[in-house]
Amino acid sequence: MAKRVLWWGRFDPGYSRNRVYAALFRELGWEVDYFFVKAWPRFGDVEAFFRGLGLRPKPDLVWVPVARQRDVAAACRWARRRGVPVVFDPMISAWDKKVLEQRKWKAEERRAKKLLAHERKLMAGPDLVCWDTSCHVDFCAERLDVPREKLRVLLTGTDEQVFKPVETAPAADGPFKVLYHGAYLPLHGTEFIVEAARMTQDENVQWDFLGWGAYKAATEAKAAGIRNVRFLEKVPYVDVPKVICAHDVVLGVFGTTAKAARVIGNKVYECMACARPTINEFCTGYPPEAKDCKAIKFVPAGDAKAIADAVRAYRDDWANRDAYFAEARAFFEKHLSMRVIKEQLRGILADLGLEKR
């Protein structure tokens, strides 16, 4: 009989990371069940009782997905009463977001200390906690006091049914096209991308922005009057690969926050899956081979000139564009693909005694 994983909380099953992991569970032969908390996440176990969750077949594992700190305690209570292990996949720390990334609170403030203590308590509940990079594993061990034996790396990946190379018409004699796509998060450093674009206004380089988010308006304001910047109209999720493949190079993360130095952005997985090279600030969570990959150029955080220079380096060698495209896709398949992440997930389940290695 197939094993069952129960995804617990108030989450979006269509979010890329959730889609990837659910698909991988199914590839491993697992059934994926969902319990969507409707009322108060803090008391999700009580809601589960009244909604008859206990009448369903007992799961072999409870999975609390991305950023659902509010669901962890209730999920752990419900699972413990039934002898079911719990894995939490936070991806972000609530304390990190408030204090280090958004800088809304100072670490010494009472509310920040209270949030940190609360998050430490939540992280102690699950049997294992998964993070998207080894840098985040280090952060969780050092700042959130989770023992390293309870921490695992599980790369983010991308939906490979959507993000894959798309044939585009041969490029005419036009500008070299650079793309940012994303949610305009502080860690992305879009202000530095805008400044890099300003430096190349007279160099036949087109800088396009696709996406939406809290800092989009601020980015648009910074870009006002820059001739080679465009903000593209929103497209359906399934059409994003077409936009990626209509560009030569895709940009990643350049922010100066601590979190920016700990992530491999979704956009990196997506563009390399689509066979496009990328520019990013360095994160030790990248596979070691990334430093030798010609389809990735690493630049210092917050350095607009370095971004512009990396774009120029690609552009000036664009007679070899097909080699860059091929290397981007090859690196993705070898180091960042669902095949790789599937083996990471299998290892996590094996550590819980739920899979064979």
Side-chain angles (χ1 to χ4, degrees), residues 249 279 297-299 305-315:
V249 172
I279 302 169
K297 291 189 185 300
F298 290 116
V299 299
K305 183 178 183 302
I307 298 170
D309 287 344
V311 167
R312 292 173 180 129
Y314 275 128
R315 179 201 61 194

Side-chain angles (χ1 to χ4, degrees), residues 34-339:
Y34 297 99
F35 175 63
F36 295 103
V37 176
K38 296 181 178 180
W40 298 279
R42 186 177 172 186
F43 302 109
D45 53 332
V46 177
E47 181 179 332
F49 172 79
F50 285 106
R51 289 175 55 194
L53 181 61
L55 300 178
R56 299 187 199 176
K58 178 182 171 181
D60 297 279
L61 175 68
V62 171
W63 187 275
V64 183
V66 173
R68 292 312 307 168
Q69 276 84 339
R70 293 182 180 182
D71 290 303
V72 170
C76 287
R77 287 194 301 267
W78 186 89
R80 293 289 175 268
R81 289 194 288 267
R82 290 157 179 81
V84 176
V86 178
V87 173
F88 181 31
D89 172 39
M91 194 170 177
I92 63 172
S93 155
W95 178 85
D96 181 17
K97 186 174 182 179
K98 286 283 188 183
V99 175
L100 300 182
E101 184 184 356
Q102 297 178 339
R103 298 170 182 169
K104 290 183 176 180
W105 299 353
K106 294 182 179 180
E108 60 271 19
E109 287 185 49
R110 182 175 178 273
R111 57 186 177 178
K113 291 180 178 179
K114 185 177 179 181
L115 176 59
L116 180 59
H118 177 63
E119 192 162 31
R120 284 173 172 170
K121 184 177 179 181
L122 291 180
M123 293 289 176
D127 294 87
L128 293 177
V129 181
C130 299
W131 292 91
D132 58 323
T133 65
S134 58
C135 316
H136 268 133
V137 165
D138 292 340
F139 169 86
C140 190
E142 294 162 9
R143 294 296 189 105
L144 302 180
D145 291 346
V146 177
R148 287 187 179 271
E149 58 267 24
K150 290 182 58 174
L151 298 172
R152 300 292 186 276
V153 173
L154 190 61
L155 294 174
T156 297
T158 191
D159 186 342
E160 294 174 32
Q161 296 299 311
V162 175
F163 289 91
K164 53 190 175 184
V166 176
E167 272 199 46
T168 56
D173 290 335
F176 188 79
K177 293 184 178 180
V178 182
L179 176 69
Y180 162 86
H181 72 287
Y184 293 88
L185 299 174
L187 66 91
H188 291 173
T190 54
E191 66 271 29
F192 305 114
I193 299 174
V194 168
E195 286 309 306
R198 191 188 305 276
M199 295 174 185
T200 63
Q201 284 187 97
D202 300 319
E203 300 182 32
N204 203 31
V205 179
Q206 178 70 51
W207 302 69
D208 290 338
F209 289 76
L210 174 69
W212 53 93
Y215 291 85
K216 181 179 180 181
T219 304
E220 289 175 325
K222 287 180 182 296
I226 301 178
R227 299 187 300 276
N228 59 341
V229 170
R230 298 186 304 183
F231 289 85
L232 306 180
E233 293 296 325
K234 183 176 179 180
V235 300
Y237 176 78
V238 295
D239 288 337
V240 173
K242 295 178 184 177
V243 179
I244 291 173
C245 291
H247 289 78
D248 299 304
V249 172
V250 177
L251 304 177
V253 171
F254 307 103
T256 56
T257 66
K259 183 174 175 60
R262 295 196 297 267
V263 303
I264 303 174
N266 282 1
K267 52 187 64 55
V268 174
Y269 292 92
E270 292 167 356
C271 78
M272 298 194 86
C274 291
R276 288 299 180 272
T278 184
I279 302 169
N280 284 271
E281 72 177 75
F282 182 66
C283 157
T284 57
Y286 277 93
E289 296 83 354
K291 287 187 174 181
D292 298 319
C293 178
K294 293 181 180 178
I296 305 175
K297 291 189 185 300
F298 290 116
V299 299
D303 190 333
K305 183 178 183 302
I307 298 170
D309 287 344
V311 167
R312 292 173 180 129
Y314 275 128
R315 179 201 61 194
D316 294 346
D317 191 37
W318 215 232
N320 293 312
R321 57 179 283 167
D322 290 341
Y324 283 114
F325 293 169
E327 185 153 353
R329 179 66 195 188
F331 183 88
F332 172 80
E333 290 178 357
K334 186 174 181 180
H335 299 289
L336 304 176
S337 65
M338 289 176 69
R339 175 184 58 81

